[in-house]
Amino acid sequence: MKIKTVSLSLFLVLFILGKPPAVSAQNNAKSLAEKLGFPRDAKLLIVHADDVGMTHSVNAATIKALESGNVNSASIMVPCPWFPEIAEYAKSHPDVDFGLHLTLTSERVYYRWGPVASKDEVPSLVDANGYFHHDWTATTPINPKEAELELRAQIDRAHRMGIHPTHLDSHQYRLIDNGKELFEAFLRVAHDYKLPVFVTRDWFADHLYLESSLTPTDIVLDHTITISPAVPPEKWTDFYRTALKNLQPGVTEFVIHLAFADDEMKAATLERDTWGAAWRQRDFDFFRSQGFRELLREENIKLVTWRELARAAGQ
Amino acid sequence: MKIKTVSLSLFLVLFILGKPPAVSAQNNAKSLAEKLGFPRDAKLLIVHADDVGMTHSVNAATIKALESGNVNSASIMVPCPWFPEIAEYAKSHPDVDFGLHLTLTSERVYYRWGPVASKDEVPSLVDANGYFHHDWTATTPINPKEAELELRAQIDRAHRMGIHPTHLDSHQYRLIDNGKELFEAFLRVAHDYKLPVFVTRDWFADHLYLESSLTPTDIVLDHTITISPAVPPEKWTDFYRTALKNLQPGVTEFVIHLAFADDEMKAATLERDTWGAAWRQRDFDFFRSQGFRELLREENIKLVTWRELARAAGQ
């Protein structure tokens, strides 16, 4: 989880050093903002809730936040037990900007899930009990062919159950952080299904294969921001206020994690506080607040969705 | 779910017609009660909570009820998402009378699970999305060999995760109600793992293959009682009071379903009230009540566990 654990101080340095949106890793004169019909220096934001389908609590909080209008995009974990509940919602709310949060890990201890594909077909992805690995280590040699098969199985189940996703992203950034082969499998699947993947120029320096694997038609976001364990609970609002006040021109995705701090979510995340029930309740509270809405207006930040991005990019 | 839907009136008839415990479908002179060291006419009761592992709410309510002492046995659904939570509890509480609630269906709509075995190996058990079938119909030809393979996979996962079950039973009575081949697969697995199965003489008339398939060493309970959808919520306590006051001599299992009527459980059982959140909260409230404890004392009913039964039967 390298990307998620960027510390607060490093994060502030990134703000200071933040470059304006690049014109052309994509051999294309127009910036993403311009393709969307905004001026080059417009501040555009996707407020994106991850992990939908993980628990009922995540589903209920995300639906509430999406319906408030302050959160405008989200992505769904197809292998998770509560996937059918959110699939039903997505099917009956086809305008909501739902992507698929492609998932190859089961990172909790007391509540777990496994692959959509047959376990026999993806042995490198599962532990001795048939769940996705809790974590990937040096002794977890993930087979990219098996990963690709599982990604396709997840998208196929989503389609069968009535979801028409607007984008793809990767749970815990596993398909971003773990080498060229996995990223290329991710990209190949995305191209086959004609869906944009969440990737940002912020990551290019850390993983050279990202930029070199992308094609000129792939959408690349300018920036992404996510809160980290280095931020203490009492600084939650400060973090987001600072982030919004320092938002760079171009398209930024806020990656947030919503749930209620209820019995289910507390039990599901009992073993550690990071991305736990209280964390997710804090995100829910901030992004549902009047203060967040006012900051967007004060800073002249416009919300955009993956559906709009894909349309603007001609996908 | 034939067995579960016995109506209240039929249930009362059963009380009236109820035979005393048979000595010997098992070629054995001693009744189960006598093997346990009780007089032949003792009223012995297993208060058994089903469906543990299904949700966090079921786990939390069942643990609370078990720790109160009024509920003294339970069985665990290995394929369910919250299985790891209850496995951890069972591992650290090895004296609790936990069996395995062998599961081949995923009967809810918004929250689902699938097999422990590889889907490729058990194609007849899964639907197009890889979940266990929602229900079994004429167009769901369950392959008993695949069912047996899945039952073994569930027991093996339970063992690997630290559970030493005291007995086996069948979620929704699927392995009891659906023909000789499935019952014999169930029994074969139980014999191989040296575990008693929950079967009662009450069912022999409806399914002739039960009695003919059992061997002389198999434990057979005298009676079982479970509340049915025919009982209105306001009659819940009356039903159980009547059942306890009319309890027959011999060993009876009360099959009960515990959970809290919280957000998770309400959402998991949203599509119908039967065995839903409110139902399970009512069961929890009755079996945790002082009234239940007093009835046991007044009626001179003694609680016994599957562990005691297996020990008494020399298993």
Side-chain angles (χ1 to χ4, degrees):
Chain A
M1 295 195 292
K2 240 177 292 176
I3 288 170
K4 282 201 175 177
T5 55
V6 170
S7 75
L8 181 60
S9 55
L10 176 56
F11 170 75
L12 293 172
V13 171
L14 284 175
F15 267 143
I16 296 159
L17 300 180
K19 290 175 292 183
V23 173
S24 198
Q26 311 302 305
N27 293 331
N28 193 321
K30 273 191 171 179
S31 71
L32 256 184
E34 289 169 311
K35 285 184 186 170
L36 285 159
F38 289 95
R40 187 172 201 79
D41 62 351
K43 295 176 183 175
L44 305 175
L45 185 63
I46 306 169
V47 186
H48 189 278
D50 278 23
D51 299 350
V52 195
M54 182 187 274
T55 63
H56 170 67
S57 182
V58 169
N59 287 353
T62 305
I63 288 170
K64 201 160 185 177
L66 285 165
E67 293 185 351
S68 77
N70 285 2
V71 172
N72 71 337
S73 188
S75 61
I76 297 173
M77 298 171 78
V78 180
C80 287
W82 283 94
F83 171 70
E85 180 185 61
I86 200 69
E88 187 61 29
Y89 180 84
K91 201 170 147 182
S92 59
H93 296 78
D95 294 338
V96 176
D97 195 48
F98 279 123
L100 300 183
H101 198 53
L102 298 170
T103 298
L104 299 176
T105 45
S106 177
E107 72 273 20
R108 294 294 172 174
V109 172
Y110 302 111
Y111 174 70
R112 307 198 68 197
W113 51 82
V116 174
S118 195
K119 284 162 198 156
D120 277 356
E121 294 183 315
V122 294
S124 75
L125 304 185
V126 297
D127 66 17
N129 293 313
Y131 301 113
F132 281 135
H133 294 291
H134 177 263
D135 203 354
W136 289 358
T137 66
T139 59
T140 325
I142 299 300
N143 178 329
K145 283 204 177 62
E146 295 173 17
E148 183 169 340
L149 189 148
E150 171 62 19
L151 302 184
R152 291 177 191 272
Q154 293 182 16
I155 300 171
D156 291 343
R157 178 193 274 181
H159 282 164
R160 271 195 311 268
M161 290 177 69
I163 300 181
H164 302 286
T166 59
H167 62 290
L168 300 176
D169 57 17
S170 167
H171 184 52
Q172 299 188 314
Y173 304 96
R174 298 283 170 172
L175 300 164
I176 300 291
D177 282 352
N178 288 282
K180 185 179 168 73
E181 271 194 287
L182 273 177
F183 181 66
E184 287 191 343
F186 181 26
L187 211 53
R188 191 158 47 242
V189 169
H191 290 165
D192 284 355
Y193 287 88
K194 303 196 187 333
L195 290 168
V197 302
F198 170 37
V199 60
T200 160
R201 293 188 298 106
D202 287 350
W203 303 335
F204 285 178
D206 280 344
H207 303 298
L208 297 179
Y209 53 82
L210 296 178
E211 192 168 11
S212 64
S213 301
L214 289 162
T215 69
T217 55
D218 285 313
I219 293 172
V220 178
L221 301 197
D222 297 302
H223 300 294
T224 187
I225 293 169
T226 193
I227 205 161
S228 89
V231 181
E234 66 276 13
K235 296 286 183 193
W236 222 253
T237 298
D238 286 353
F239 173 89
Y240 285 125
R241 287 187 68 86
T242 306
L244 288 162
K245 284 179 175 293
N246 290 282
L247 202 72
Q248 299 297 302
V251 179
T252 298
E253 176 166 317
F254 266 24
V255 174
I256 67 172
H257 301 84
L258 306 178
F260 299 124
D262 58 13
D263 288 346
E264 178 201 19
M265 203 65 212
K266 284 181 197 163
T269 59
L270 190 66
E271 77 283 1
R272 57 180 164 86
D273 293 334
T274 42
W275 294 276
W279 175 305
R280 290 166 192 256
Q281 179 76 55
R282 288 194 296 274
D283 266 10
F284 178 81
D285 292 342
F286 179 79
F287 287 97
R288 286 261 300 169
S289 70
Q290 193 57 30
F292 171 55
R293 194 179 279 275
E294 283 164 13
L295 269 167
L296 292 179
R297 202 176 47 239
E298 285 164 23
E299 301 297 327
N300 196 24
I301 295 165
K302 306 293 181 200
L303 298 189
V304 295
T305 63
W306 276 101
R307 181 175 279 118
E308 289 164 347
L309 284 176
R311 200 172 290 149
Q315 286 189 354
Chain B
M1 293 195 294
K2 239 176 293 177
I3 289 171
K4 281 200 175 176
T5 55
V6 171
S7 75
L8 181 60
S9 55
L10 177 56
F11 171 76
L12 292 173
V13 172
L14 284 174
F15 268 142
I16 296 158
L17 300 180
K19 291 174 290 181
V23 174
S24 197
Q26 311 301 306
N27 293 330
N28 193 321
K30 273 191 171 177
S31 72
L32 256 185
E34 288 169 311
K35 284 184 186 170
L36 284 160
F38 290 94
R40 187 172 200 79
D41 63 350
K43 295 177 185 174
L44 305 175
L45 185 62
I46 306 169
V47 186
H48 188 278
D50 277 24
D51 299 351
V52 195
M54 183 187 273
T55 63
H56 170 67
S57 182
V58 170
N59 287 352
T62 305
I63 289 171
K64 201 159 182 175
L66 286 165
E67 293 185 351
S68 77
N70 285 2
V71 173
N72 71 337
S73 188
S75 61
I76 297 173
M77 298 171 79
V78 180
C80 287
W82 283 94
F83 170 69
E85 181 185 61
I86 200 68
E88 186 62 30
Y89 181 83
K91 200 170 149 182
S92 59
H93 296 78
D95 295 337
V96 176
D97 195 48
F98 279 123
L100 300 183
H101 198 53
L102 298 171
T103 299
L104 299 178
T105 44
S106 177
E107 71 274 20
R108 293 293 172 174
V109 171
Y110 302 112
Y111 173 71
R112 308 199 65 198
W113 51 83
V116 174
S118 193
K119 286 162 197 156
D120 276 357
E121 294 182 316
V122 294
S124 76
L125 304 185
V126 298
D127 67 15
N129 293 313
Y131 301 114
F132 280 136
H133 294 291
H134 177 264
D135 203 352
W136 289 358
T137 67
T139 59
T140 325
I142 299 300
N143 178 327
K145 284 205 177 62
E146 295 173 17
E148 182 169 342
L149 189 148
E150 172 62 19
L151 301 184
R152 291 176 191 272
Q154 292 182 17
I155 301 171
D156 292 344
R157 179 194 272 181
H159 283 164
R160 272 195 310 268
M161 291 177 69
I163 300 180
H164 302 286
T166 60
H167 62 290
L168 300 176
D169 57 17
S170 167
H171 184 52
Q172 299 187 314
Y173 305 96
R174 298 282 172 174
L175 300 165
I176 301 290
D177 281 353
N178 288 283
K180 185 178 167 74
E181 271 194 286
L182 273 177
F183 181 66
E184 287 191 344
F186 181 26
L187 212 52
R188 190 157 49 241
V189 169
H191 291 166
D192 284 356
Y193 286 89
K194 303 196 188 330
L195 290 168
V197 302
F198 170 37
V199 61
T200 159
R201 293 188 299 105
D202 287 349
W203 303 334
F204 284 179
D206 279 343
H207 303 298
L208 298 179
Y209 53 81
L210 295 179
E211 191 167 11
S212 64
S213 301
L214 288 162
T215 69
T217 55
D218 286 312
I219 293 172
V220 178
L221 301 198
D222 297 302
H223 299 294
T224 187
I225 293 169
T226 192
I227 205 161
S228 88
V231 180
E234 65 276 13
K235 296 286 184 194
W236 222 253
T237 299
D238 287 352
F239 173 90
Y240 285 124
R241 288 186 69 85
T242 306
L244 288 161
K245 283 178 175 296
N246 290 283
L247 202 73
Q248 298 297 302
V251 179
T252 299
E253 176 165 316
F254 265 26
V255 174
I256 66 172
H257 300 84
L258 306 177
F260 299 123
D262 58 13
D263 288 346
E264 177 201 19
M265 203 66 211
K266 284 181 197 164
T269 59
L270 190 67
E271 77 283 2
R272 57 181 164 88
D273 292 334
T274 41
W275 294 275
W279 175 305
R280 289 165 193 256
Q281 180 75 56
R282 288 194 296 273
D283 267 8
F284 179 81
D285 292 342
F286 178 80
F287 287 97
R288 286 262 298 169
S289 70
Q290 192 57 28
F292 172 55
R293 193 179 281 273
E294 282 164 13
L295 270 167
L296 292 179
R297 202 177 45 240
E298 285 164 24
E299 301 297 328
N300 197 24
I301 295 165
K302 305 293 181 198
L303 298 188
V304 295
T305 63
W306 276 100
R307 180 176 280 118
E308 289 163 349
L309 285 176
R311 200 173 289 148
Q315 287 190 350

